[in-house]
């Protein structure tokens, strides 16, 4: 059709007036591809310097992160008895507690600043216990501890409380990631009752669009090819740490591990960026494993991709909000 139109235009050109030229017919509008979404999260969120480092990375790249906070880090050694995990004695935790009252105060300040900068503050439970055998009542008890300690953290530790803190603490944590990514049926029964909108405890064979089941959006860390043999590994720093060095420190190999991790992140990104553009999720801890290899890889990766015009590095909370807003809009229009 287009070819015949152009032939007709050429045959009539000689009859046109001097200031009348035929133009090609208008082209169909090009549909822009969806932006590539990258979802970066951190577990435990303990070390103050890592809070600062991650927030600096976000500022220079325009990214927004999700921080899954373990609430025991809002208790000092003196106030640790305010927490008792399901079936555990008071003051027990698999990951310790805040180092001091000042350490807790500094962490609370980092939480407040990160939230003010648009980051997502989620929950990583409290004592980092394995809940794979917990009942729904156990999970609800743990979630109750999370919210009570988070809301009352300043008062519990005798730290002057800023205005608006309790309202902020009551509503901010809408997402959860289970310690050890260890889940059971009871967890997914408890999550909506506890007010959580999303869970990020899953693992998938590759990037996927997170489904929403029984009111809870379920994110999954994907398996991504890594290393000389492109063997799949969960896209999380700890899993890379175990893959590279058996879970023990090998600082002399840090640069090589950084390069391997970066190449794995970048290859997983390129596969989606040049393909279906499914959201890519990457997980990290505040622990600097193998002399910081995985944070170094993260910074190189984020510095390169989060600034691209067709890329959005956003929090899990914001992704859920967008998806649900889109579903509501489709329902209204449909």
């Amino acid at each position: 059709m287009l070819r015949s139109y152009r032939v007709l235009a050429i045959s009539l050109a000689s009859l046109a007036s001097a200031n009348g030229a035929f133009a090609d017919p208008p082209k169909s509008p090009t549909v822009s591809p969806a932006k590539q979404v990258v979802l970066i999260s951190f577990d435990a969120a303990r070390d103050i310097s890592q809070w600062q480092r991650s927030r600096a990375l976000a500022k220079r790249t325009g990214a927004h992160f999700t921080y899954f906070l373990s609430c025991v880090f809002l208790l000092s050694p003196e106030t640790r008895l305010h927490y008792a995990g399901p079936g555990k004695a008071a003051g027990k935790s698999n990951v310790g507690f805040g180092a001091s009252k000042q350490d807790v105060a500094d962490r609370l300040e980092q939480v407040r600043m990160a939230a003010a900068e648009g980051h997502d503050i989620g929950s990583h439970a409290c004592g980092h216990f394995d809940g794979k055998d917990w009942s729904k009542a156990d999970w609800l008890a743990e979630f109750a501890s999370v919210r009570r300690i988070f809301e009352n953290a300043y008062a519990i530790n005798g730290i002057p409380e800023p205005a608006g803190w309790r309202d902020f603490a009551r509503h901010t944590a809408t997402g959860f990631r289970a310690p050890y990514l260890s889940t059971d049926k009871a967890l997914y029964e408890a999550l909506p009752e506890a007010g959580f909108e999303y869970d990020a405890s899953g693992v998938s064979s590759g990037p996927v669009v997170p489904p929403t089941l029984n009111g809870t959006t379920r994110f999954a860390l994907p398996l991504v090819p890594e290393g000389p043999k492109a063997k799949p590994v969960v896209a999380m720093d700890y899993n890379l740490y175990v893959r590279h060095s058996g879970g023990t420190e090998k600082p002399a190999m840090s640069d090589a591990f950084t390069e391997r991790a970066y190449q794995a992140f970048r290859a997983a990104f390129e596969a989606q960026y040049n393909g279906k553009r499914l959201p890519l999720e990457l997980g990290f801890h505040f622990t600097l494993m193998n002399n910081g290899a995985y944070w170094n890889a993260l910074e190189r990766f984020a510095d390169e991709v989060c600034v691209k015009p067709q890329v959005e590095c956003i929090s899990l909370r914001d992704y859920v909000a967008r998806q649900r807003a889109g579903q509501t809009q489709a329902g209204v229009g449909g």
Side-chain angles (χ1 to χ4, degrees):
M1 189 70 182
L2 180 60
R3 186 170 178 268
S4 63
Y5 188 100
R6 285 177 172 162
V7 170
L8 176 61
I10 292 169
S11 67
L12 293 176
S14 59
L15 301 177
S17 61
N19 58 354
F22 284 85
D24 285 340
K27 296 179 180 179
S28 299
T30 301
V31 178
S32 299
K35 288 192 175 183
Q36 176 63 51
V37 169
V38 178
L39 305 164
I40 297 170
S41 59
F42 302 95
D43 288 5
R46 179 175 187 169
D47 191 86
I48 302 303
S49 65
Q50 297 304 95
W51 274 102
Q52 295 167 334
R53 183 175 175 181
S54 61
R55 288 175 47 237
L57 174 61
K59 286 178 181 177
R60 69 175 181 262
T61 60
H64 286 124
F65 301 138
T66 295
Y67 296 89
F68 291 110
L69 177 66
S70 297
C71 79
V72 288
F73 299 139
L74 301 182
L75 297 174
S76 69
E78 294 76 22
T79 60
R80 69 186 186 279
L81 294 178
H82 280 266
Y83 169 67
K88 307 292 183 181
K92 299 296 183 182
S93 162
N94 275 353
V95 289
F97 293 86
S100 65
K101 176 178 175 178
Q102 186 60 53
D103 177 65
V104 170
D106 292 344
R107 188 167 299 103
L108 287 166
E109 182 67 10
Q110 290 297 319
V111 168
R112 291 176 61 240
M113 289 191 292
E117 292 160 2
H119 299 291
D120 176 18
I121 309 298
S123 172
H124 199 42
C126 265
H128 210 276
F129 296 118
D130 188 338
K132 69 178 183 298
D133 296 321
W134 284 0
S135 67
K136 179 181 176 182
D138 289 334
W139 281 111
L140 289 174
E142 182 77 348
F143 293 149
S145 294
V146 168
R147 297 198 182 276
R148 175 179 55 80
I149 292 169
F150 194 38
E151 186 177 337
N152 296 282
Y154 283 95
I156 288 172
N157 291 283
I159 303 167
E161 184 176 303
W165 168 259
R166 289 175 187 255
D167 184 63
F168 162 78
R170 202 171 291 128
H171 299 102
T172 190
T174 62
F176 175 74
R177 175 173 284 153
Y180 310 108
L181 304 180
S182 187
T183 65
D184 62 0
K185 181 181 177 182
L187 169 64
Y188 294 106
E189 294 172 350
L191 283 169
E193 190 169 324
F196 290 106
E197 295 181 358
Y198 74 82
D199 170 75
S201 309
V203 174
S204 58
S205 59
V208 295
V209 174
T212 298
L213 303 172
N214 298 322
T216 304
T217 301
R218 299 192 189 181
F219 291 92
L221 289 161
L223 293 173
V224 298
E226 189 276 336
K229 296 182 179 180
K231 196 175 175 183
V233 66
V234 177
M236 195 174 215
D237 55 359
Y238 179 76
N239 300 79
L240 289 164
Y241 179 52
V242 172
R243 163 73 59 84
H244 292 164
S245 59
T248 60
E249 286 296 311
K250 293 186 177 179
M253 295 289 291
S254 180
D255 289 347
F257 296 150
T258 295
E259 183 64 21
R260 280 182 58 167
Y262 165 78
Q263 292 297 340
F265 300 155
R266 192 63 196 248
F269 168 82
E270 294 294 343
Q272 293 308 317
Y273 188 71
N274 298 317
K276 295 181 180 179
R277 295 206 170 177
L278 299 173
L280 175 64
E281 185 179 350
L282 303 175
F284 299 86
H285 293 75
F286 271 22
T287 306
L288 294 178
M289 306 167 204
N290 277 327
N291 201 32
Y294 311 108
W295 272 68
N296 293 338
L298 164 64
E299 287 178 319
R300 180 180 170 189
F301 172 80
D303 280 335
E304 291 177 0
V305 308
C306 291
V307 297
K308 288 180 174 289
Q310 283 295 309
V311 176
E312 291 182 305
C313 294
I314 63 174
S315 70
L316 279 70
R317 176 199 62 200
D318 289 350
Y319 181 90
V320 170
R322 289 186 186 185
Q323 293 300 102
R324 296 192 177 191
Q327 291 166 3
T328 301
Q329 191 173 34
V332 171

